[in-house]
Amino acid sequence: MTVDGAIATVVLSHPGKFNAMSRAMWRRLRELFLELPARADLRCVVVRGEGAQFCAGGDIAEYPAFRFQPDRLRAFHEDEVWGALGALLDCDLPLVAAIAGHCMGAGVEIASCCDIRVAAADARFGAPIARLGFPMAPREAQLVARALGEATARELLLEAAVLDAAEMQARGFLQRVLPDAAAMHAHALERARRIAALAPQAARLNKQTLRALNGPSALAGQAPAAIENIVHWAYDYADNAEHREGIDAFLAKRPARF
């Protein structure tokens, strides 16, 4: 993380893996976003990827070590992944996502936590985990469906569709698309500067209000209880043959056989 005046920049960095999120990266992201709101000197946070990519998803090379046991899989998603995403969602500082290149799976989830999303024209968005033989975790699916809209979330998850930046702007996920990464990053910083020039307490209060309006308690019916119930069985697929096959095939660089 770097700080320039009232703006912090958090960089997702995993060299050689298009900034795919490792378990250590999820834990560090949570730590950062638990610390940042307490800093009175900050008024905005830009989230970007290192180099030409935002985030290509999760680090699949780590998956065989824990994904095939339900308890460990649940702990990964509920504690590590949702611990980080929840910290982003709970952050009262305005968040600007600056997206270039790959924005897949975990990248879409992180971007979904941000208030402003801008992208370079080369950005590509998707969550093609169906090719790996597993679904999106329930809390993460709820987050993505809210940010993208349910129809787009279904397209990404059920069809493994990959959409370009222009399409994602047309569907309301992105506020702006810029010709290239350099122009996009400059634009993201300019937006952050505009936010930082405004009343910081108002921004924090606006975020608290919007969070309450969109939180589980504001949903109709029994949605919060439903999520809690789903969590109890959602990870039972850990030892499923398709789950193992999808990850094994990816690591072996061959087509999966479902």
Side-chain angles (χ1 to χ4, degrees), residues 46-108:
V46 175
V47 181
R48 59 169 292 177
E50 183 71 42
Q53 312 295 329
F54 185 70
C55 172
D59 184 359
I60 298 169
E62 294 183 339
Y63 285 4
F66 67 90
R67 286 198 66 97
F68 304 130
Q69 299 86 39
D71 290 346
R72 298 183 69 186
L73 180 63
R74 182 182 295 110
F76 168 67
H77 280 287
E78 296 296 316
D79 300 336
E80 295 181 14
V81 176
W82 193 253
L85 296 175
L88 268 77
L89 290 170
D90 289 341
C91 181
D92 288 340
L93 293 167
L95 308 182
V96 178
I99 304 165
H102 288 73
C103 183
M104 301 289 168
V108 171

Side-chain angles (χ1 to χ4, degrees), residues 18-253:
F18 290 176
N19 304 325
M21 294 294 292
S22 66
R23 300 182 75 177
M25 290 170 69
W26 283 119
R27 292 191 291 266
R28 180 56 181 150
L29 194 64
R30 177 179 181 273
E31 291 172 0
L32 278 174
F33 277 91
L34 290 177
E35 297 166 1
L36 286 171
R39 293 189 54 164
D41 59 320
L42 296 180
R43 296 189 178 188
C44 189
V45 182
V46 175
V47 181
R48 59 169 292 177
E50 183 71 42
Q53 312 295 329
F54 185 70
C55 172
D59 184 359
I60 298 169
E62 294 183 339
Y63 285 4
F66 67 90
R67 286 198 66 97
F68 304 130
Q69 299 86 39
D71 290 346
R72 298 183 69 186
L73 180 63
R74 182 182 295 110
F76 168 67
H77 280 287
E78 296 296 316
D79 300 336
E80 295 181 14
V81 176
W82 193 253
L85 296 175
L88 268 77
L89 290 170
D90 289 341
C91 181
D92 288 340
L93 293 167
L95 308 182
V96 178
I99 304 165
H102 288 73
C103 183
M104 301 289 168
V108 171
E109 294 175 2
I110 292 168
S112 294
C113 295
C114 296
D115 305 291
I116 305 293
R117 293 179 284 267
V118 300
D122 74 341
R124 297 293 181 269
F125 300 81
I129 52 176
R131 296 174 182 167
L132 301 176
F134 61 86
M136 185 171 278
R139 297 187 204 278
E140 296 157 52
Q142 183 184 50
L143 167 68
V144 168
R146 286 188 193 175
L148 276 70
E150 187 171 331
T152 298
R154 288 176 184 273
E155 187 175 359
L156 299 189
L157 291 173
L158 302 181
E159 192 182 338
V162 174
L163 304 178
D164 63 21
E167 182 65 25
M168 292 295 274
Q169 184 182 26
R171 298 187 186 203
F173 186 69
L174 301 172
Q175 279 92 346
R176 281 289 301 274
V177 175
L178 285 300
D180 54 45
M184 181 274 297
H185 286 302
H187 179 79
L189 284 174
E190 179 55 33
R191 280 184 177 257
R193 292 188 188 103
R194 289 203 297 266
I195 292 170
L198 300 173
Q201 187 61 27
R204 288 173 181 253
L205 289 172
N206 277 328
K207 289 210 60 177
Q208 292 170 18
T209 299
L210 291 168
R211 185 162 58 243
L213 289 172
N214 290 281
S217 62
L219 296 176
Q222 301 298 314
I227 287 290
E228 293 301 328
N229 290 333
I230 290 169
V231 164
H232 290 298
W233 54 260
Y235 305 109
D236 291 345
Y237 70 85
D239 196 33
N240 184 281
E242 289 185 4
H243 186 198
R244 289 182 178 276
E245 165 63 9
I247 291 174
D248 289 345
F250 181 92
L251 296 175
K253 301 187 185 320

